[in-house]
Amino acid sequence: MQQLQNLIAGFNVSSCEPYKQCWIKAKLTTQDDLISLATALKANGLTSLITVSPTDFPDDNRLELNYFFEDLLTRRNAWIKVDIPRELDACQIPSLTPLFPSVNWHEREAFSTFGVRFIGHPALEDIFISEDFIGKFPFRKGFDWQAHEANLIENMACIVRGFEREHAINDARMGKGSHTTLNWGPTHPASGPLRLRVEVNGEDIISVKPDVGYVWRGLEHLVEGKDFVGALVAIERICFMDNTNAMICYAQAVEEIAGKPITPFASMMRVMLGEIGRVVSHLMGIGGFFNTMGLVTLQMWALDVREYFLDVLEDYSGARIATASIEPGGVRYPLKLALLVTLEAAIAKYEATRSEFYAIFINNPTMQSRATVVGIITPEMVLNNGLCGVVARASGVKTDIRLDEPYAAYDKINMTYMLAEQGSAKNRFEVLFKEVDQSMDILKQAIADLRRGIESGEYRPEKDAMVRIPKKLPDGEAVSRVEWSRGELMMHLVTRKSDETPYRLKIKAPSVNHTMMLETLLAGKTLSDIPLVFGSLYICQGDLDR
Amino acid sequence: MLKILDFFNYAQSESPWIVHFCSGCCSLEMAAATGPRYDWERYGYMQTPTPRQADVMIITGLVSKKILPALLRTFAQMPEPSYVLAIGACAYDGGPYNESVSVIKNMTEILPADAFVAGCPPKPEAIITGLDIIKEKMRKGEPSAASQGGLWKQMNF
């Protein structure tokens, strides 16, 4: 870490200091140094630039760009800030995409929403935002949403015109042999709200270009209109498959700025709720994987087991999916010991079904032969493309935020990295299964710890659930990371004194980089491989678009 | 003659096929409704990948501006009578995304629903209850609400 700090301090920086366990936070005085600093960081092993987050300060007439560099192998990360002018003409900075392919779509996102022009980006097109927002940069402070909203019919027509233009181009291309462009989604049963423009020659894929933004809700902007607790409504809806871990991530950022640590009891509750969220999501993912291969049976079995875990969430919070159970300051409700019994029943249900899962599906010869040859991701691809979570671990890369930068009470939990080697679709499926097993183990440890703590009087479930967080936070900013079910979820929260709402929240969600990989993974394959590769990447459109 | 037509309505109502279209997060609870615990196939509901064979379309919560043309196009491809079930608060007034400008907040005006299920997301039992209302409509041979009106007829998609 010291070496990294010295390296960064060698550039024109106005500040350079360690931040949390594994970050160096620095601010460049001028953007001229950005490329040389990024090159030096890359040479030092920080190969993933996971996102770029602009923050708009109209009072100072500047946009602050936050770059987050990560080294997945040695856990040294760098958070580099740099100011650029706010005027649209001068709002530009050299692009880092040629150096770090992982930041490609993130730069496009910053361009679409804030109007930052990245000089040297290979294809700086709009992304996520719908056609009617193009050129309007909606996340800038002072953008008049109401005025935009007033023209709904015209906005819709604008979106339709965009589709029509594209159809016209596709139509013009038709009729030259078997060369054509297919739309895979958004109405395909396996796709969800996402569209792949697949250019094919007969069955063979020439190129794949994802079209995303079908569930773009502008969540990052939405939270700016809510108070710190009310923002949870938007946060937990990033993706409903695993909503507890997203809330943990946000709550941690708020607590850090408020300077209020939570109680050990609440930390352990977060581990428990987080793991339930992970199991619920993984079971959906497991079912979805086989579903895309045309086998519905596993999904039915997985859904059956999943219901038992949803029962636990329902017992705890009253809702099966939108639990809103974790808020800044701890967990929302106290714990009744009967809940642990319900949870134990759910774990027993999984363990009773587990051997059948393995016998019929994991060792399934069709799956073995079909899924080992497609969608292979090498460790180099993981490091260069900012992949994370299950996808990274299936390629043998040791990354797991629960171990790398332990949060909540994960430092008390005994666990290891769940790895596979080849990085094929089958490996990702196996890692998903192994992680469900691992979560069961973590849940058992959490149950034992909660029981012991409550019996010994160390935890007071009524009093320790929440710590009061003030309504207004001081000036500050925080970066919070959690291991979400699909991979690393990172939030960058900026607050301003006497504001009751977040000033800026950037959400870095794992599915963005995973969707970006589809272009590489599917080129040269056949049409029938699309659902399998897509299913194995465990993509959720909710966190892709936000 | 009347009796025979009644029989067709009855037969259709006992096996409504639902077009497989997902525009928002409520589709997660729809998946749960297909699962073993709730199992909507007990009542004859089934998902079909193509709108050409579907009787019912479910608006699964959130409809963003970008997906609306695709949703209306899918709906227009369904044979008459094409019923619409709207589930989730978003499908009524934008729900938790009421302040978001990329989300459609007057879905019921654009594509009027035959039944609306409240919740965020609604529980699977509630979704099945909503489908039962549509089943009743089918049995009586009532026309669908969307065929009676709605902004979708004036929209270009």
Side-chain angles (χ1 to χ4, degrees):
Chain A
M1 286 303 275
Q2 193 56 47
Q3 181 249 344
L4 182 64
Q5 190 175 350
N6 293 343
L7 174 87
I8 297 172
F11 289 85
N12 267 331
V13 287
S14 57
S15 68
C16 180
E17 60 202 22
Y19 171 71
K20 291 211 231 177
Q21 297 166 24
C22 47
W23 290 86
I24 300 287
K25 178 178 168 184
K27 177 148 190 174
L28 280 177
T29 44
T30 137
Q31 55 164 289
D32 303 338
D33 274 4
L34 184 67
I35 294 270
S36 48
L37 174 58
T39 315
L41 288 176
K42 190 175 182 183
N44 250 275
L46 280 77
T47 52
S48 316
L49 174 48
I50 60 161
T51 194
V52 48
S53 151
T55 312
D56 189 8
F57 294 102
D59 301 346
D60 311 347
N61 197 23
R62 65 187 170 106
L63 269 181
E64 189 178 65
L65 293 184
N66 296 273
Y67 287 89
F68 299 97
F69 296 85
E70 282 191 11
D71 178 356
L72 298 180
L73 299 176
T74 60
R75 294 162 219 163
R76 293 170 310 151
N77 307 328
W79 172 8
I80 308 293
K81 294 155 152 290
V82 58
D83 280 342
I84 58 170
R86 188 169 182 271
E87 294 91 4
L88 280 175
D89 302 337
C91 188
Q92 57 186 41
I93 193 161
S95 166
L96 292 183
T97 305
L99 274 171
F100 297 88
S102 57
V103 80
N104 186 338
W105 284 15
H106 300 276
E107 286 192 343
R108 285 172 64 187
E109 186 186 349
F111 167 66
S112 318
T113 51
F114 283 91
V116 184
R117 267 176 300 122
F118 292 91
I119 310 295
H121 189 286
L124 194 61
E125 293 159 16
D126 290 279
I127 196 166
F128 298 123
I129 60 170
S130 50
E131 196 90 3
D132 53 321
F133 283 109
I134 288 182
K136 295 189 179 168
F137 313 123
F139 284 6
R140 281 183 167 234
K141 301 276 172 193
F143 176 77
D144 194 346
W145 289 75
Q146 252 80 34
H148 183 85
E149 173 79 328
N151 308 319
L152 178 66
I153 297 290
E154 171 48 30
N155 292 341
M156 283 308 306
C158 178
I159 293 171
V160 172
R161 279 200 296 277
F163 285 128
E164 280 169 351
R165 268 199 304 278
E166 205 184 313
H167 290 168
I169 295 171
N170 290 348
D171 278 355
R173 280 212 200 123
M174 286 272 280
K176 290 168 194 158
S178 43
H179 194 117
T180 184
T181 308
L182 286 176
N183 287 324
W184 191 81
T187 52
H188 188 283
S191 73
L194 168 141
R195 180 167 67 111
L196 301 182
R197 304 182 191 94
V198 191
E199 211 184 321
V200 287
N201 185 11
E203 273 281 287
D204 303 320
I205 299 172
I206 298 167
S207 72
V208 170
K209 214 176 151 208
D211 177 26
V212 299
Y214 285 94
V215 283
W216 181 63
R217 295 147 286 175
L219 285 181
E220 290 156 356
H221 175 269
L222 201 59
V223 297
E224 289 173 15
K226 297 177 187 291
D227 61 24
F228 287 103
V229 176
L232 280 175
V233 174
I235 300 294
E236 70 170 336
R237 280 165 181 78
I238 294 173
C239 175
F240 261 166
M241 270 155 74
D242 172 3
N243 78 341
T244 45
N245 284 308
M247 288 186 282
I248 294 176
C249 187
Y250 169 74
Q252 284 179 173
V254 175
E255 286 147 12
E256 189 188 322
I257 294 176
K260 300 255 179 184
I262 61 168
T263 62
F265 168 73
S267 318
M268 194 47 89
M269 282 297 288
R270 283 189 180 177
V271 170
M272 190 182 90
L273 292 167
E275 289 307 315
I276 296 174
R278 194 181 317 278
V279 170
V280 164
S281 174
H282 275 10
L283 286 171
M284 240 3 227
I286 286 166
F289 177 87
F290 257 75
N291 214 1
T292 53
M293 289 206 293
L295 258 175
V296 194
T297 317
L298 178 57
Q299 188 175 27
M300 291 298 150
W301 290 13
L303 280 173
D304 188 24
V305 178
R306 181 172 172 268
E307 290 294 332
Y308 287 80
F309 287 92
L310 291 181
D311 284 348
V312 181
L313 289 179
E314 193 174 3
D315 277 8
Y316 180 65
S317 71
R320 285 156 52 86
I321 294 196
T323 56
S325 53
I326 292 159
E327 65 175 80
V331 288
R332 184 168 289 224
Y333 309 102
L335 172 71
K336 297 205 168 55
L337 282 172
L339 188 80
L340 299 180
V341 180
T342 320
L343 180 55
E344 275 168 341
I347 296 174
K349 169 72 186 173
Y350 170 74
E351 281 171 352
T353 326
R354 186 180 173 280
S355 59
E356 290 177 4
F357 276 152
Y358 270 79
I360 299 174
F361 298 104
I362 306 266
N363 305 326
N364 185 322
T366 319
M367 199 277 279
Q368 298 270 2
S369 59
R370 174 104 171 77
T372 42
V373 288
V374 291
I376 293 173
I377 295 179
T378 60
E380 290 73 40
M381 285 160 93
V382 171
L383 298 179
N384 291 327
N385 290 287
L387 307 184
C388 49
V390 175
V391 177
R393 288 191 288 274
S395 301
V397 177
K398 280 191 173 180
T399 164
D400 189 329
I401 312 293
R402 289 175 288 177
L403 290 157
D404 297 346
E405 193 180 354
Y407 56 93
Y410 279 106
D411 47 351
K412 289 192 206 162
I413 300 285
N414 185 16
M415 60 181 286
T416 55
Y417 298 96
M418 285 293 153
L419 301 173
E421 267 159 21
Q422 275 84 31
S424 65
K426 173 189 153 237
N427 292 122
R428 291 196 278 281
F429 181 65
E430 281 174 353
V431 170
L432 267 184
F433 252 109
K434 279 198 225 166
E435 288 200 358
V436 177
D437 286 347
Q438 184 189 37
S439 290
M440 297 299 162
D441 185 48
I442 297 175
L443 281 173
K444 283 180 191 163
Q445 294 181 39
I447 292 173
D449 184 84
L450 285 168
R451 278 231 171 88
R452 181 199 54 74
I454 291 171
E455 274 164 20
S456 69
E458 185 190 335
Y459 299 156
R460 295 164 302 169
E462 295 291 335
K463 284 186 181 163
D464 287 353
M466 284 284 291
V467 179
R468 270 192 72 82
I469 298 280
K471 265 197 162 175
K472 292 178 180 175
L473 297 189
D475 273 338
E477 60 180 328
V479 166
S480 159
R481 298 194 296 166
V482 298
E483 184 67 25
W484 209 20
S485 52
R486 270 173 300 287
E488 175 191 341
L489 178 71
M490 193 193 81
M491 291 191 194
H492 171 220
L493 177 70
V494 184
T495 57
R496 300 249 279 197
K497 201 166 81 184
S498 75
D499 269 6
E500 284 186 21
T501 58
Y503 185 74
R504 159 84 172 142
L505 178 73
K506 164 73 188 172
I507 303 164
K508 181 261 159 188
S511 292
V512 178
N513 288 55
H514 295 169
T515 313
M516 215 148 65
M517 284 307 289
L518 283 172
E519 296 174 43
T520 326
L521 290 177
L522 286 172
K525 299 285 190 302
T526 60
L527 266 182
S528 54
D529 291 330
I530 296 180
L532 180 58
V533 173
F534 181 80
S536 77
L537 285 175
Y538 197 15
I539 290 165
C540 168
Q541 288 79 8
D543 79 72
L544 167 63
D545 295 342
R546 284 155 283 132
Chain B
M1 190 59 192
L2 204 67
K3 280 264 149 50
I4 296 173
L5 284 178
D6 279 355
F7 174 75
F8 281 134
N9 282 341
Y10 164 74
Q12 194 184 12
S13 76
E14 285 305 305
S15 171
W17 283 17
I18 297 156
V19 61
H20 198 139
F21 185 88
C22 136
S23 63
C25 13
C26 286
S27 51
L28 210 57
E29 282 298 59
M30 215 165 79
T34 64
R37 187 181 285 186
Y38 301 101
D39 193 11
W40 69 11
E41 282 196 40
R42 285 180 295 169
Y43 308 108
Y45 306 118
M46 195 188 88
Q47 279 187 320
T48 167
T50 161
R52 307 268 183 204
Q53 297 165 351
D55 307 298
V56 182
M57 171 177 229
I58 300 188
I59 302 175
T60 54
L62 157 85
V63 178
S64 71
K65 277 191 216 154
K66 192 167 177 179
I67 201 127
L68 183 66
L71 184 130
L72 295 180
R73 207 171 255 240
T74 311
F75 176 75
Q77 286 171 1
M78 285 165 58
E80 287 282 333
S82 37
Y83 296 95
V84 176
L85 172 69
I87 63 175
C90 301
Y92 184 71
D93 67 347
Y97 309 121
N98 194 274
E99 287 150 25
S100 162
V101 192
S102 55
V103 173
I104 300 282
K105 273 151 280 184
N106 56 344
M107 201 51 213
T108 41
E109 287 170 27
I110 293 174
L111 191 64
D114 295 277
F116 171 71
V117 184
C120 185
K123 294 182 78 170
E125 299 102 314
I127 296 175
I128 294 175
T129 314
L131 283 168
D132 286 346
I133 295 171
I134 288 181
K135 203 178 203 179
E136 218 32 60
K137 269 196 144 180
M138 273 184 184
R139 184 166 299 169
K140 291 183 187 147
E142 285 177 25
S144 68
S147 66
Q148 307 285 302
L151 287 174
W152 72 280
K153 291 186 175 176
Q154 300 154 29
M155 285 174 115
N156 184 19
F157 51 85

